[in-house]
Amino acid sequence: ENKYQLELSREWRMLKNRKFMGSVSEQNIRTKSKPIIQEMETSSTQEPPKKPLVSEIESCATVPDCTIIAEPGEGHPSYLVAEISLPRVASASSLVLDLGEDRIVLWARPSIYHLDIFIPYNITQEIGR
C-alpha cells in the first residue's frame, strides 16, 4: 500500500466449508485414456517403390588431356610438371585446383572440365604450385 500509495479495502469474508462462491460449470472428464502407441493396419496392396531422396547427378564436364612429366626422369623425382590442355577456359580465375598427397583434382567452372587423377608419387602440398 505504501509503495503505490493505494488504500485496499478490508472487507472480505472467510468461507466456511465452501471452496468457492457461485455455481460450478459443467466439466467433461475423459475416463478411458487412448494408448500412446497404436498399431496400424497393413494394406493388402503394395505400393510401388518410391523415388530415392538422394540421387547422383551425372556431370556434363569433360576430362581434359593431361601429361605429367617427372624431373629428373630416373629415381624419385624432385619436380612433377603437369601439362593440362584447357582450350575452352578463358581465364585462370575460373579454375579450382586441389592438390592432395597423391592426387590432383581440377575443376573448370561452370562444369566445363573435371580432372581427378592419382599419381604414383607423394606431393608436398606446401611447396606445390
Side-chain angles (χ1 to χ4, degrees):
E1 290 179 5
N2 292 337
K3 183 177 180 180
Y4 297 104
Q5 287 82 32
L6 293 175
E7 193 171 316
L8 299 176
S9 173
R10 302 282 180 203
E11 295 178 17
W12 50 277
R13 292 186 210 167
M14 178 65 102
L15 299 176
K16 295 182 181 179
N17 299 328
R18 295 181 90 181
K19 294 183 180 182
F20 60 90
M21 287 186 67
S23 62
V24 178
S25 60
E26 187 175 325
Q27 302 288 321
N28 294 327
I29 300 173
R30 181 183 295 175
T31 56
K32 183 180 176 186
S33 64
K34 291 185 178 180
I36 296 174
I37 300 174
Q38 296 179 351
E39 290 189 24
M40 303 296 289
E41 293 181 18
T42 58
S43 60
S44 60
T45 61
Q46 290 189 359
E47 297 179 14
K50 293 183 178 179
K51 185 177 178 182
L53 296 176
V54 178
S55 61
E56 289 189 25
I57 299 173
E58 293 295 325
S59 176
C60 60
T62 58
V63 178
D65 295 328
C66 177
T67 305
I68 297 179
I69 302 168
E71 295 178 2
E74 295 180 9
H76 190 74
S78 299
Y79 296 98
L80 291 176
V81 179
E83 295 178 357
I84 303 169
S85 174
L86 305 169
R88 296 188 298 173
V89 174
S91 171
S93 63
S94 66
L95 297 177
V96 177
L97 178 64
D98 185 21
L99 292 176
E101 188 174 303
D102 61 348
R103 183 177 181 185
I104 298 174
V105 180
L106 176 76
W107 279 99
R109 309 246 175 190
S111 296
I112 300 172
Y113 295 108
H114 176 62
L115 177 69
D116 188 359
I117 57 171
F118 288 94
I119 53 175
Y121 307 106
N122 287 339
I123 299 173
T124 306
Q125 298 175 4
E126 292 79 28
I127 61 172
R129 9 173 214 171

